[in-house]
């Protein structure tokens, strides 16, 4: 069967030219301890790993043009099924040519399944074996999400990496609740795989659950490997357990997953969370932190967190970080960033978000280079030593 999709079917001289699909693949280039670097290949471009995915919740990374997001070094974005299915709806996006065209981002997109956000954002939800019914936070309308419907929505969006529909309890939760939830998610993973079908060039990732419990993580990993996926995510972490507990779990959970497939840690995190996760064998992460912080006057730099609304920046002619090459640091002083934040100017969100995304991507590039060069431990030490210095002294 010929395969075609907008952007891959070219017309020349009246002839329709079908380009064969390029398979989704992952190649591991180097490891250093448990840390890994490699490349995920998709028909929409390569993703260098370890990769940080900025979050484009409502078909936009807030305060950023897509070309600016790309300029920070991002290879892939994350989109949220829950938000897009409610507004503007997956059907409307499909009719307008898919999410890539709709939001003007031609590179790969990963979408979550909607499960996590239904659980955390929606009121009046009802969970059954079949799926979840809930009321929209936008207009109160009633909706149903099932593994089958989640796969349908993510296909309508045209997502390159599709996530299984799953459910996870907030931590702490008792073992009984964690086991019950994990087993339901594994049954949903099998239904997700069945509904996803055979789609060359697109990937479906399974999601390991089991909270902080080693035996449940193992049971979940075995169930997922039995079904077989293009990549494996670690779900149910960064949900309130704290960094130490998360790292304790990451000391064993990724090892249960296939080494030849990408491993994605969902919803992480702060710079030191990201570095600690990569050290433990994680290849992909996403978080709203750099963009959300950018809108609340928080900057992340090599020397830690900077609160730009603090009065000590009002007369400071220096950039946020003199080593940073982003537009906010190249062209603007702390005094200016402080002024536009205090004046509620839109450029404040734009500049701080750009800087934060740039810094997060710089960390990823630093780790990729260090792993490839077999010097991850030295890189990690410098990362922590620089942060320990704290922000530069006031003038
Ligand atoms: Zn910067």
């Amino acid at each position: 069967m010929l395969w075609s999709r907008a952007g891959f079917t070219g017309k020349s001289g009246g002839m329709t030219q079908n380009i064969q699909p390029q398979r989704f693949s992952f190649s591991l280039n180097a490891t250093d301890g448990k840390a890994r670097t490699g490349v995920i290949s998709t028909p929409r471009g390569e993703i260098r790993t370890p990769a940080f995915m900025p979050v484009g919740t409502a078909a936009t990374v807030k305060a950023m043009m897509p070309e600016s997001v790309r300029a920070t070094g991002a290879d892939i974005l994350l989109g949220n099924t829950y938000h897009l299915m409610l507004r503007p709806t997956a059907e409307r996006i499909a009719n307008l040519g898919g999410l890539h065209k709709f939001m003007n981002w031609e590179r790969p997109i990963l979408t979550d399944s909607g499960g996590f956000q239904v659980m955390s954002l929606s009121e009046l939800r009802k969970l059954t074996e079949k799926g979840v019914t809930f009321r929209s936070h936008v207009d109160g309308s009633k909706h149903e999400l099932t593994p089958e419907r989640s796969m349908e929505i993510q296909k309508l969006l045209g997502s390159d990496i599709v996530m299984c529909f799953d459910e996870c309890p907030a931590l702490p939760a008792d073992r009984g609740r964690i086991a019950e939830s994990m087993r339901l998610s594994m049954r949903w993973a099998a239904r997700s795989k069945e509904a996803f079908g055979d789609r060359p060039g697109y990937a479906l990732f399974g999601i390991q659950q089991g909270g902080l419990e080693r035996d449940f993580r193992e049971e979940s990993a075995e169930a997922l490997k039995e079904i077989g996926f293009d990549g494996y995510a670690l779900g149910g972490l960064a949900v309130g357990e704290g960094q130490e507990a998360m790292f304790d779990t990451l000391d064993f959970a990724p090892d249960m997953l296939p080494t030849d497939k990408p491993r994605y840690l969902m919803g992480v995190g702060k710079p030191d969370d990201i570095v600690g996760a990569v050290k433990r064998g994680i290849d992909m992460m996403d978080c709203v932190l750099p963009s959300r912080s950018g809108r609340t006057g928080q900057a992340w730099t090599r020397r830690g967190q900077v609160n730009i609304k603090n009065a000590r920046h009002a007369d400071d002619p220096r950039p946020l970080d003199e080593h940073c090459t982003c537009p906010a640091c190249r062209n603007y002083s702390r005094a200016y960033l402080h002024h536009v934040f205090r004046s509620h100017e839109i450029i404040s969100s734009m500049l701080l978000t750009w800087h934060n995304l740039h810094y997060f991507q710089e960390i990823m590039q630093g780790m990729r280079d260090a792993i490839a060069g077999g010097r991850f431990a030295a890189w990690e030490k410098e990362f922590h030593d620089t942060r320990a210095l704290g922000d530069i002294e006031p003038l």
Side-chain angles (χ1 to χ4, degrees), residues 320-321 324-330 351 354-356 358-359:
L320 263 178
D321 182 339
C324 181
T325 58
C326 88
C329 293
R330 268 202 329 263
L351 291 173
W354 193 319
H355 166 80
N356 285 341
H358 179 100
Y359 174 58

Side-chain angles (χ1 to χ4, degrees), residues 259-273:
T259 54
D260 62 346
K261 298 284 164 66
R263 300 165 178 166
Y264 162 32
L265 178 60
M266 306 177 79
V268 171
K270 294 195 285 291
D272 54 338
D273 294 330

Side-chain angles (χ1 to χ4, degrees), residues 218-233:
E218 187 77 58
E219 182 183 330
S220 178
E222 291 308 312
L224 295 175
K225 285 188 280 187
E226 180 70 28
I227 300 165
F229 291 98
D230 304 300
Y232 294 82

